Structures are given as structure tokens and as C-alpha cells.
Amino acid sequence: SPRSFQPNGASKEALQCEIEELKQKDLALDQEIAQLLSEGYSLEELDKHISLLHEYNEIKDAGQMLLGKLAVIRGVTTKQLYPEYDLDLSD
């Protein structure tokens, strides 16, 4: 029946849209890299910054996980712990 083909068609269409979005993101990133290179940044410097950002995010994730566990133990929200540790909610 035609209905049995609908999900596959929808899935194929969704995948094609996702592929197109990824191509656009790839192009935007290539343009951003070209802009940074034209401003005098080197690939090595950009790689170092990316590496440092990954490390920062991993450390931040671990801290968030610990705050979450502490909040559960204390029976409070994570948000309530921020002032106690001089943390900014936007961090």
C-alpha cells in the first residue's frame, strides 16, 4: 500500500535535508577558517585553541556532574549551589 512507502520516503527526504544542512555548515566553517587565516591566524594556533576548548568543556562537564551529584545529596537544585561556590549562572 502507499502508506507503507511513506515513512521511507519521509526518512529519505529528512536525510536529504540533513545532508544539505551539513553541507551548508561545512561551507560556513570553511569560510570562517578562511577568514581567520586571512586575519593572520595559523592552522596550528587554531588547532591549539580548539584543543584547549575541548579540554575546558570536558573539565566543565565534570564540574557540572559533580555539582549535580552534590545537589542530589543535599536535596537542593544545582542552581542553589552556584552562590556557595562563587559560580556565575552564565558559566
Side-chain angles (χ1 to χ4, degrees), residues 11-68:
S11 294
K12 184 176 181 179
E13 189 175 302
L15 285 174
Q16 287 175 334
C17 280
E18 189 175 344
I19 288 170
E20 191 57 39
E21 287 175 12
L22 289 171
K23 286 180 180 179
Q24 292 299 320
K25 286 180 183 179
D26 184 50
L27 179 61
L29 288 172
D30 285 345
Q31 290 172 342
E32 190 174 342
I33 289 169
Q35 175 67 32
L36 290 168
L37 291 174
S38 73
E39 291 174 6
Y41 292 95
S42 69
L43 287 177
E44 295 80 17
E45 187 177 13
L46 294 173
D47 285 341
K48 179 67 174 171
H49 283 282
I50 290 169
S51 176
L52 289 172
L53 282 172
H54 283 296
E55 185 177 345
Y56 166 80
N57 286 330
E58 288 173 5
I59 292 168
K60 184 177 177 183
D61 289 345
Q64 289 293 323
M65 192 170 56
L66 289 172
L67 275 176

Side-chain angles (χ1 to χ4, degrees), residues 1-12:
S1 77
R3 283 188 176 189
S4 64
F5 293 105
Q6 216 169 16
N8 288 338
S11 294
K12 184 176 181 179

